[in-house]
Amino acid sequence: MKDKLTKFLPILEWLPNYQKGNLQGDLSAGLTVGIMLIPQGMAYAMLAGLEPIHGLYAVTVPLLLYAIFGTSRQLAVGPVAMVSLLTAAGIGALNPSGPEQYLLYALSLAFLIGLIQFGMGLFRLGFVVNFLSHPVISGFTSAAAIIIGLSQIKHLFRINLPNSEHIQDMAVAIAQNIGDTHFLTLGIGVLGILIIKFGKKIHKSFPAPLAAVVVGILLVWGFDLTGQGVKIVGEVPSGLPSLSAPSFDLDTWNTLLPIALTISLVGFAESFAVAKTIQNKHKNYKLDANQELIGLGMANFGAAFFKGYPVTGGFSRTAVNNDAGAKTGLASIFSAALIVLTLLFFTDLFYNLPSAILAAVVLVAVSGLIDFKEPVKLWHKDKADFWMLSSTFVITLTLGIETGIIAGMVLSLLVVIYRASRPHMAQLGRVAGTNIFRNVNRFKDLENREELLMVRIDGPIYFANIEYIKSRIGKWLEEKGPKVKMIVFNMESVTNLDSTGAHELHDWVTTWRSQELDVCITATKGPVRDTLNRWGLIECVGADHMFVDDNSAVEYFDHTANLESVQKLSPYATQVT
Amino acid sequence: MKDKLTKFLPILEWLPNYQKGNLQGDLSAGLTVGIMLIPQGMAYAMLAGLEPIHGLYAVTVPLLLYAIFGTSRQLAVGPVAMVSLLTAAGIGALNPSGPEQYLLYALSLAFLIGLIQFGMGLFRLGFVVNFLSHPVISGFTSAAAIIIGLSQIKHLFRINLPNSEHIQDMAVAIAQNIGDTHFLTLGIGVLGILIIKFGKKIHKSFPAPLAAVVVGILLVWGFDLTGQGVKIVGEVPSGLPSLSAPSFDLDTWNTLLPIALTISLVGFAESFAVAKTIQNKHKNYKLDANQELIGLGMANFGAAFFKGYPVTGGFSRTAVNNDAGAKTGLASIFSAALIVLTLLFFTDLFYNLPSAILAAVVLVAVSGLIDFKEPVKLWHKDKADFWMLSSTFVITLTLGIETGIIAGMVLSLLVVIYRASRPHMAQLGRVAGTNIFRNVNRFKDLENREELLMVRIDGPIYFANIEYIKSRIGKWLEEKGPKVKMIVFNMESVTNLDSTGAHELHDWVTTWRSQELDVCITATKGPVRDTLNRWGLIECVGADHMFVDDNSAVEYFDHTANLESVQKLSPYATQVT
């Protein structure tokens, strides 16, 4: 009972046994991440098309909920670039009537994602994340990073650009409007980028984005740059988020569903990937994919009911959290506390923050996500995976983020299907002088008798591979020619037989027998033997044609062949005597 | 070259070598099927929402094209119930403005299906049909047959019913309108059903549907039943179909695409299934899934350009064709010729044909498609497949045909994914006194040393199963406890290693080595060894840790263990001497 509770509430595992020695690391990491969260949260909310304040709301309650329900102890949950962009794309397509409806959609989206992730966790569907292969994730992430980067150009150059996910439209619009660049804004943005880029080199935990924010605010305030056209964040409401409710309108849900599914999967994949990397360095706790889904689902519920927007575990912040010494979920609780203090007392400070600085924060963050090395590596080492990466990349870039992730999944699935439909099969021959039978293609000098076709199938026999198995056996039969008198099915590695497989096997046996081709089955495992029995296949093959090993089958064959030749000889023999 | 041509034009294989002996069978079969096609073609066209004449047009040019390009010699191509219903459902959703636009959509649909099937054939995608598992097809077909049957109630009872694919809506509408039944129409329909049902029992090739048609026409004509409210087919235009063109409007294509994909797959699956069954009885020619796609694609092009509508190979007509003695594609050519004669000279005869008789033709045809036995059988023999069948059945019945087939495919895919993510793995032990290593769970009394974990993975190592492999090894390591000093990977059955797998393997080896757990790899095949080498894995594991078989790995382990113990002993030994 207690075990079950701990499984569902992982906080019970570490909080009651909290070691004082971890406090310093947790505190320092929590504050560092909290300081990062202020500009990042605001910048990502803007990227999602929301008021910056919602990015701060999104790192209050959700962080606490993840600390309670999540299994990773270093994962920093909150708004991330990819999810923010997907949020903007999804809600934009619904043509919301104004900011209020936009917010309502964002809350509903968070709620739906919460439902999907929580439900997936409950039904143990965490394994689906395996079906985004590494090259697909890499291609998708690089392309999405470029699209996100381009979406920030309008803030950096202060030019008018439509919201679009298609690189071709973006490129045209940028080319048309680049002449309107507001150079003062651009200058502040570039300064911001430089501070963040080189600030990191001073010290690993130097809060470079916060430094850029401070410099930006001071510049605008000191030189009254708003008068010269620099856009600022403006009023940031003070105080904690009030309770909010998502929409429970089914039509709204229906339209949001595809993007909610996409974010649920992509968000989880991103989060779980980084959580695994970090957990690998600690190993003092276990990650559980299904419980992670529950943790992220709860965090999204928190966002939905406290004026946030969709959240997940972020790459860079998690790395910072770990580097700064986070040992338990307490670090996240400290981060949330810092944000709460900011919301209560310091929001006024951000009035003069230039939007270009927030754009700089996003740009630097996503530029690190573009992976140049992986495609080059794959080109040299695995062409199939290279094509998977590059087609996902190109599709995402030209047809948009959602189409990109779906295409990537379809590609991954096609690979799974292709492999699933081609089980490993071996033709067996006897190792001379022994009772051991091995793959004739791998071992030399095996006895491969022309009257026998001995086949081993490795894996399940089911609808997805039955045609392949059939055609492969057909080819071997053809190669061996008409002298084959018996087929021996070695089923030692057959793990399962479904109804389609059973039907087909029945057909084969009857057809072969009608062609005077005998069939026997060897080395079945218990469960497979039961299935054969249920489908009447043991009866069909004959109980006297089921053998424990290949050798017995061959002995049986030699025995009956002798009997037959004796019978054939006997009339002749009688004549002679 | 000639071989290639024959492959693309299978008619070149049988026509130049045509044997006179086949002529009688082909002629008799061709005429029997032709006579069946007249009422069936008209009935199915009506089911598809088109004028009956298009059902006849659909069996002129398409039949010739299939005879030229198809590989089956008995397959009877033409309109079938399922495809007709899908056509009606697909076009109905587009709200065509009138019969002309409806026809245009039907032609465009045939064209798109032609494109998809031809393209799939060209790109050798015939294998996808394997991914509709047997239980899914059975559940889907039964449900679709019920929906099709219900759609005929309005003609049989002459009541007003909306077009719907949802059984719940249909049931409500039938209950509300059943009071308006026109009993004379119902009587004619029931008579038609009885004639078709019992006519077949007189003789296998008795043209029962045609007899029902004749009786229906004579009744209407003799007793002037139109005056009493019996609905008739009316004017059937005489003459051959003129050339027609599908729409080339991209928006129309886009809306038709989902239903076109569905029909392409379902139609092909149905057609190929029956073609296989019949080919199995002859075996004097070969079926080729990809060339079948090309043949059906061409037939659909024929339908698109000659005022037909989507066609495929039909279950019942193919069975009749074969029973009546069809030996080559010439039978289909004779069927087409009979239809052409009918179109030229006999269309006037069908003026008085009651719609209720056509409904009877459809009802009898689909009632045979409802499979009661399979679910009962599966319930006893394979629960998983039973649930697959029944959920496809229920979803199709309640949510509609398209959702049903998609749900069926998704279910099949989930099974493939589930199995693909769980490769067969074995922990190996030595058969005492030999160099043979076997699965410790299958063989008793194997030597399973506590310092060694020997693992064999059967199948590819790739993104879809890497997590499972990892957790399985993790569990084995835990079971064996801290005494394990070396992991031996037997890769004799590993068929492939992708980049995700290579990355992970690298991680594992480094992690294990850092925990003083040695790793070696045995029995790799050539291509897998090349992949290991390309990814630097041989370097990572160490060339001296790659062995041709398990025995060498164990010997190496014993050797180094001895060395270590010698080294550990030596200082002590020195002290003693």
Side-chain angles (χ1 to χ4, degrees):
Chain A
M1 185 60 218
K2 209 207 144 198
D3 261 21
K4 260 200 171 161
L5 200 65
T6 316
K7 205 158 185 190
F8 189 66
L9 293 169
I11 194 174
L12 295 181
E13 214 179 306
W14 57 263
L15 196 58
N17 316 312
Y18 193 80
Q19 291 167 350
K20 261 194 185 166
N22 289 335
L23 190 62
Q24 202 198 339
D26 281 342
L27 187 65
S28 135
L31 297 185
T32 310
V33 170
I35 286 169
M36 262 182 99
L37 273 172
I38 298 169
Q40 281 197 350
M42 292 170 83
Y44 292 149
M46 210 170 70
L47 170 58
L50 292 156
E51 296 286 320
I53 187 77
H54 297 289
L56 297 183
Y57 291 161
V59 284
T60 53
V61 179
L63 258 63
L64 293 178
L65 287 171
Y66 180 81
I68 296 170
F69 291 96
T71 52
S72 167
R73 299 190 183 169
Q74 283 83 25
L75 191 71
V77 171
V80 305
M82 182 94 73
V83 168
S84 302
L85 185 80
L86 285 169
T87 302
I91 301 180
L94 293 180
N95 294 316
S97 59
E100 268 180 44
Q101 202 178 20
Y102 198 104
L103 177 60
L104 183 67
Y105 285 156
L107 298 174
S108 311
L109 197 55
F111 183 71
L112 276 180
I113 294 166
L115 269 187
I116 294 169
Q117 291 184 331
F118 192 88
M120 285 178 69
L122 221 56
F123 291 107
R124 329 298 297 159
L125 294 177
F127 73 93
V128 297
V129 79
N130 300 347
F131 289 89
L132 279 174
S133 67
H134 194 265
V136 161
I137 292 180
S138 169
F140 174 73
T141 308
S142 292
I146 292 173
I147 297 173
I148 295 170
L150 287 177
S151 77
Q152 298 303 301
I153 296 292
K154 64 177 171 196
H155 299 298
L156 196 66
F157 288 71
R158 218 207 72 186
I159 55 180
N160 283 322
L161 287 181
N163 277 321
S164 171
E165 295 178 35
H166 306 283
I167 196 170
Q168 56 277 38
D169 302 346
M170 290 297 280
V172 169
I174 290 172
Q176 284 170 343
N177 293 297
I178 197 81
D180 305 336
T181 300
H182 187 258
F183 287 98
L184 190 54
T185 302
L186 181 62
I188 293 174
V190 171
L191 181 65
I193 292 175
L194 294 175
I195 293 175
I196 302 171
K197 267 281 188 204
F198 295 102
K200 278 183 187 166
K201 298 199 174 165
I202 300 172
H203 190 273
K204 242 186 350 187
S205 56
F206 177 74
L210 195 71
V213 164
V214 172
V215 170
I217 293 172
L218 290 177
L219 282 176
V220 170
W221 175 74
F223 300 97
D224 189 24
L225 298 183
T226 41
Q228 296 175 48
V230 172
K231 283 204 179 144
I232 56 170
V233 165
E235 187 101 38
V236 178
S238 140
L240 296 179
S242 51
L243 266 175
S244 61
S247 160
F248 289 96
D249 174 46
L250 276 185
D251 281 343
T252 311
W253 281 24
N254 237 336
T255 23
L256 287 173
L257 198 62
I259 198 85
L261 269 170
T262 311
I263 296 181
S264 302
L265 289 176
V266 175
F268 175 57
E270 176 174 345
S271 177
F272 196 65
V274 66
K276 266 204 301 195
T277 315
I278 301 293
Q279 185 267 351
N280 237 326
K281 297 186 183 169
H282 291 276
K283 302 205 158 121
N284 61 340
Y285 63 91
K286 278 195 181 168
L287 272 188
D288 174 37
N290 296 310
Q291 185 62 30
E292 274 300 282
L293 276 164
I294 288 177
L296 291 176
M298 291 301 294
N300 276 302
F301 284 139
F305 290 104
F306 289 91
K307 287 197 172 169
Y309 77 101
V311 293
T312 195
F315 259 94
S316 52
R317 275 198 309 272
T318 302
V320 169
N321 199 26
N322 184 55
D323 285 347
K327 293 283 178 289
T328 71
L330 203 59
S332 284
I333 298 176
F334 285 131
S335 299
L338 184 73
I339 302 294
V340 166
L341 286 179
T342 308
L343 283 170
L344 288 175
F345 306 113
F346 308 123
T347 51
D348 286 349
L349 296 179
F350 299 106
Y351 183 88
N352 279 320
L353 174 59
S355 303
I357 291 284
L358 292 182
V361 171
V362 174
L363 275 169
V364 175
V366 299
S367 70
L369 294 179
I370 305 176
D371 191 344
F372 299 102
K373 283 181 199 159
E374 190 68 13
V376 176
K377 208 162 146 190
L378 288 178
W379 173 256
H380 290 295
K381 306 196 172 179
D382 193 327
K383 287 281 190 303
D385 278 1
F386 169 80
W387 289 116
M388 211 139 116
L389 184 150
S390 43
S391 38
T392 310
F393 178 78
V394 171
I395 292 172
T396 309
L397 219 48
T398 53
L399 301 178
I401 296 237
E402 244 187 298
T403 314
I405 194 73
I406 291 169
M409 283 188 163
V410 169
L411 274 174
S412 301
L413 269 178
L414 282 177
V415 172
V416 173
I417 287 176
Y418 181 85
R419 295 216 185 287
S421 65
R422 280 162 177 70
H424 184 239
M425 287 174 70
Q427 207 186 130
L428 304 180
R430 187 201 292 266
V431 179
T434 71
N435 292 339
I436 302 166
F437 292 79
R438 286 294 174 86
N439 187 346
V440 293
N441 288 327
R442 290 200 48 247
F443 291 82
K444 281 180 195 163
D445 306 323
L446 296 187
E447 284 175 25
N448 188 358
R449 294 169 56 175
E450 54 185 6
E451 319 96 297
L452 289 175
L453 175 63
M454 308 184 66
V455 175
R456 196 188 69 215
I457 300 158
D458 297 337
I461 301 182
Y462 71 128
F463 67 88
N465 62 22
I466 195 80
E467 278 299 314
Y468 177 82
I469 294 175
K470 189 180 178 180
S471 76
R472 191 78 187 266
I473 294 176
K475 262 182 206 154
W476 280 339
L477 274 178
E478 232 170 65
E479 277 169 28
K480 290 208 120 181
K483 287 194 179 161
V484 179
K485 292 279 168 278
M486 185 159 87
I487 298 178
V488 179
F489 268 108
N490 180 316
M491 290 207 178
E492 74 176 68
S493 308
V494 173
T495 45
N496 187 286
L497 179 74
D498 80 339
S499 66
T500 313
H503 277 302
E504 279 284 322
L505 219 57
H506 203 285
D507 278 5
W508 300 351
V509 174
T510 354
T511 314
W512 286 329
R513 287 271 166 81
S514 76
Q515 296 163 350
E516 311 226 323
L517 199 57
D518 204 3
V519 181
C520 63
I521 294 178
T522 68
T524 50
K525 293 180 185 175
V528 172
R529 177 181 282 265
D530 291 346
T531 312
L532 289 173
N533 196 25
R534 267 204 305 280
W535 284 104
L537 272 160
I538 293 189
E539 207 181 323
C540 169
V541 174
D544 58 337
H545 280 64
M546 305 287 300
F547 300 99
V548 285
D549 55 29
D550 297 329
N551 194 48
S552 319
V554 175
E555 275 176 5
Y556 169 85
F557 176 76
D558 287 338
H559 180 64
T560 49
N562 281 338
L563 274 187
E564 269 173 38
S565 55
V566 167
Q567 280 168 343
K568 273 179 204 152
L569 277 174
S570 55
Y572 196 64
T574 348
Q575 280 186 355
V576 173
T577 45
Chain B
M1 187 56 218
K2 208 205 143 201
D3 262 20
K4 260 202 172 160
L5 201 65
T6 316
K7 208 164 179 186
F8 189 65
L9 294 169
I11 194 175
L12 295 181
E13 215 179 305
W14 56 264
L15 196 59
N17 315 313
Y18 192 80
Q19 290 166 352
K20 260 195 186 164
N22 289 337
L23 190 63
Q24 202 198 337
D26 280 345
L27 187 64
S28 135
L31 296 184
T32 309
V33 170
I35 286 170
M36 263 182 97
L37 273 172
I38 297 170
Q40 281 196 349
M42 292 168 83
Y44 291 149
M46 211 170 70
L47 171 58
L50 291 156
E51 296 285 319
I53 186 77
H54 297 289
L56 298 182
Y57 292 161
V59 284
T60 55
V61 179
L63 260 62
L64 295 178
L65 287 171
Y66 181 80
I68 296 169
F69 290 97
T71 51
S72 166
R73 299 188 185 170
Q74 284 83 26
L75 191 72
V77 170
V80 304
M82 183 92 74
V83 167
S84 302
L85 187 81
L86 285 169
T87 302
I91 300 179
L94 293 179
N95 294 317
S97 60
E100 269 179 43
Q101 203 178 20
Y102 198 104
L103 177 61
L104 182 68
Y105 285 156
L107 298 174
S108 312
L109 197 54
F111 183 72
L112 277 181
I113 294 166
L115 270 187
I116 293 168
Q117 291 184 330
F118 192 88
M120 284 178 69
L122 219 56
F123 290 108
R124 330 296 298 158
L125 294 177
F127 74 91
V128 296
V129 80
N130 301 346
F131 289 89
L132 280 174
S133 66
H134 194 266
V136 161
I137 292 180
S138 169
F140 174 72
T141 308
S142 293
I146 293 173
I147 296 173
I148 294 170
L150 287 177
S151 77
Q152 297 304 300
I153 296 292
K154 65 176 171 195
H155 299 298
L156 195 66
F157 289 70
R158 217 207 73 187
I159 54 179
N160 284 322
L161 289 181
N163 278 319
S164 171
E165 295 176 35
H166 305 282
I167 195 168
Q168 56 276 37
D169 302 347
M170 291 296 280
V172 169
I174 291 172
Q176 284 171 341
N177 293 296
I178 196 83
D180 305 336
T181 301
H182 187 257
F183 287 98
L184 190 55
T185 302
L186 180 61
I188 293 174
V190 170
L191 181 66
I193 293 177
L194 293 175
I195 293 175
I196 302 171
K197 267 281 188 202
F198 295 102
K200 276 183 187 164
K201 298 199 172 165
I202 300 173
H203 190 274
K204 241 185 353 188
S205 59
F206 175 75
L210 194 70
V213 164
V214 171
V215 170
I217 292 172
L218 289 177
L219 281 175
V220 171
W221 176 73
F223 299 96
D224 189 22
L225 298 184
T226 43
Q228 294 175 49
V230 172
K231 283 206 179 144
I232 56 170
V233 163
E235 188 102 39
V236 179
S238 140
L240 295 179
S242 53
L243 267 174
S244 61
S247 160
F248 289 97
D249 175 46
L250 276 185
D251 280 344
T252 311
W253 281 24
N254 238 335
T255 25
L256 287 173
L257 198 62
I259 197 84
L261 268 170
T262 310
I263 297 182
S264 302
L265 289 177
V266 175
F268 175 57
E270 176 174 346
S271 176
F272 196 66
V274 65
K276 267 204 301 194
T277 314
I278 302 291
Q279 185 266 352
N280 237 328
K281 297 186 181 169
H282 291 276
K283 301 205 157 118
N284 61 339
Y285 63 91
K286 278 197 181 166
L287 271 187
D288 174 37
N290 296 310
Q291 185 61 31
E292 274 300 283
L293 276 163
I294 288 178
L296 291 177
M298 291 302 293
N300 276 303
F301 283 140
F305 289 104
F306 290 92
K307 288 196 172 170
Y309 79 100
V311 293
T312 195
F315 259 94
S316 52
R317 277 199 307 273
T318 301
V320 169
N321 199 27
N322 183 55
D323 287 347
K327 293 283 178 288
T328 71
L330 203 59
S332 284
I333 298 176
F334 285 131
S335 299
L338 183 74
I339 301 294
V340 165
L341 286 178
T342 308
L343 283 171
L344 288 176
F345 306 113
F346 308 121
T347 50
D348 286 349
L349 297 178
F350 298 106
Y351 182 87
N352 279 319
L353 174 59
S355 302
I357 291 285
L358 292 182
V361 171
V362 174
L363 276 169
V364 176
V366 299
S367 70
L369 294 179
I370 305 175
D371 192 344
F372 298 103
K373 284 181 199 156
E374 190 68 13
V376 176
K377 209 160 144 189
L378 288 178
W379 173 257
H380 291 295
K381 306 193 172 181
D382 193 326
K383 288 279 191 303
D385 279 2
F386 169 81
W387 289 116
M388 212 138 116
L389 184 151
S390 43
S391 38
T392 311
F393 178 78
V394 171
I395 292 172
T396 309
L397 218 48
T398 52
L399 301 178
I401 297 237
E402 244 187 299
T403 315
I405 194 73
I406 291 168
M409 284 188 163
V410 169
L411 275 174
S412 302
L413 270 178
L414 282 178
V415 173
V416 173
I417 288 176
Y418 181 85
R419 296 217 184 287
S421 64
R422 279 159 179 70
H424 183 239
M425 287 175 70
Q427 206 187 130
L428 303 179
R430 187 200 293 264
V431 180
T434 70
N435 292 340
I436 303 165
F437 291 80
R438 287 294 173 87
N439 186 346
V440 293
N441 287 327
R442 288 201 49 249
F443 291 81
K444 280 181 195 162
D445 305 324
L446 296 186
E447 285 176 23
N448 187 359
R449 295 169 55 174
E450 55 185 3
E451 319 95 298
L452 290 174
L453 173 63
M454 308 183 67
V455 175
R456 195 186 69 213
I457 300 157
D458 297 337
I461 300 181
Y462 71 127
F463 66 88
N465 62 21
I466 194 79
E467 278 299 316
Y468 176 82
I469 294 175
K470 188 180 179 181
S471 75
R472 191 80 187 263
I473 294 175
K475 262 180 207 154
W476 281 337
L477 274 177
E478 233 169 64
E479 277 168 28
K480 290 209 119 181
K483 287 195 177 160
V484 179
K485 292 278 169 279
M486 185 160 86
I487 298 178
V488 179
F489 269 107
N490 178 316
M491 290 207 179
E492 74 177 66
S493 308
V494 173
T495 46
N496 188 286
L497 179 74
D498 81 339
S499 66
T500 313
H503 276 302
E504 280 284 323
L505 219 55
H506 204 285
D507 277 5
W508 300 351
V509 174
T510 354
T511 314
W512 287 329
R513 286 270 165 82
S514 76
Q515 296 162 348
E516 311 227 322
L517 199 56
D518 205 2
V519 182
C520 63
I521 294 178
T522 68
T524 49
K525 295 180 185 175
V528 172
R529 178 182 282 266
D530 291 347
T531 312
L532 289 173
N533 195 24
R534 267 204 306 282
W535 284 104
L537 271 160
I538 293 190
E539 206 180 325
C540 170
V541 175
D544 58 338
H545 281 63
M546 304 287 300
F547 300 100
V548 285
D549 54 30
D550 298 328
N551 196 47
S552 319
V554 175
E555 274 176 4
Y556 169 85
F557 175 76
D558 287 338
H559 181 65
T560 49
N562 282 337
L563 274 185
E564 268 172 39
S565 57
V566 168
Q567 281 170 346
K568 272 179 205 151
L569 277 174
S570 56
Y572 197 66
T574 351
Q575 279 186 352
V576 175
T577 45

